[in-house]
């Protein structure tokens, strides 16, 4: 009985830690996005800022999609 409880607690702790790390990466990515857009606007103007924002988002969504597909892939 104690072994089942221990394994259940460890499984939940693993899920929570993965959620917190994923949330932390998301917050860091949003801060990086804001800093990049602000820096590009201050240094190069609005059009370069818009282009840089689109490139950043394209790469971010590529890696989000890659992570999502790999984490939900069925291994046989």
């Amino acid at each position: 009985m104690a072994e089942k409880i221990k394994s259940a607690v460890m499984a939940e702790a693993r899920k929570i830690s993965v959620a917190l790390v994923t949330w932390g990466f998301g917050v860091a990515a949003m801060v990086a996005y804001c800093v990049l857009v602000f820096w590009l606007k201050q240094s190069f103007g609005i059009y370069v800022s818009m282009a840089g924002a689109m490139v950043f988002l394209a790469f971010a969504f590529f890696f989000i999609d890659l992570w999502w597909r790999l984490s939900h892939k069925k291994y046989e």
Side-chain angles (χ1 to χ4, degrees), residues 7-70:
S7 66
V9 168
M10 292 304 290
E12 288 301 315
R14 193 175 309 118
K15 288 179 189 176
I16 291 170
S17 64
V18 167
L20 290 176
V21 168
T22 304
W23 182 81
F25 281 136
V27 169
M30 288 187 287
V31 169
Y33 177 75
C34 292
V35 168
L36 175 72
V37 170
F38 179 76
W39 175 74
L40 287 173
K41 171 106 173 40
Q42 294 296 320
S43 300
F44 302 105
I46 188 72
Y47 297 113
V48 174
S49 174
M50 290 182 342
M54 288 187 286
V55 168
F56 183 94
L57 289 175
F59 279 108
F61 284 120
F62 170 76
F63 286 114
I64 290 169
D65 185 54
L66 183 67
W67 170 79
W68 181 265
R69 288 182 191 270
L70 287 178

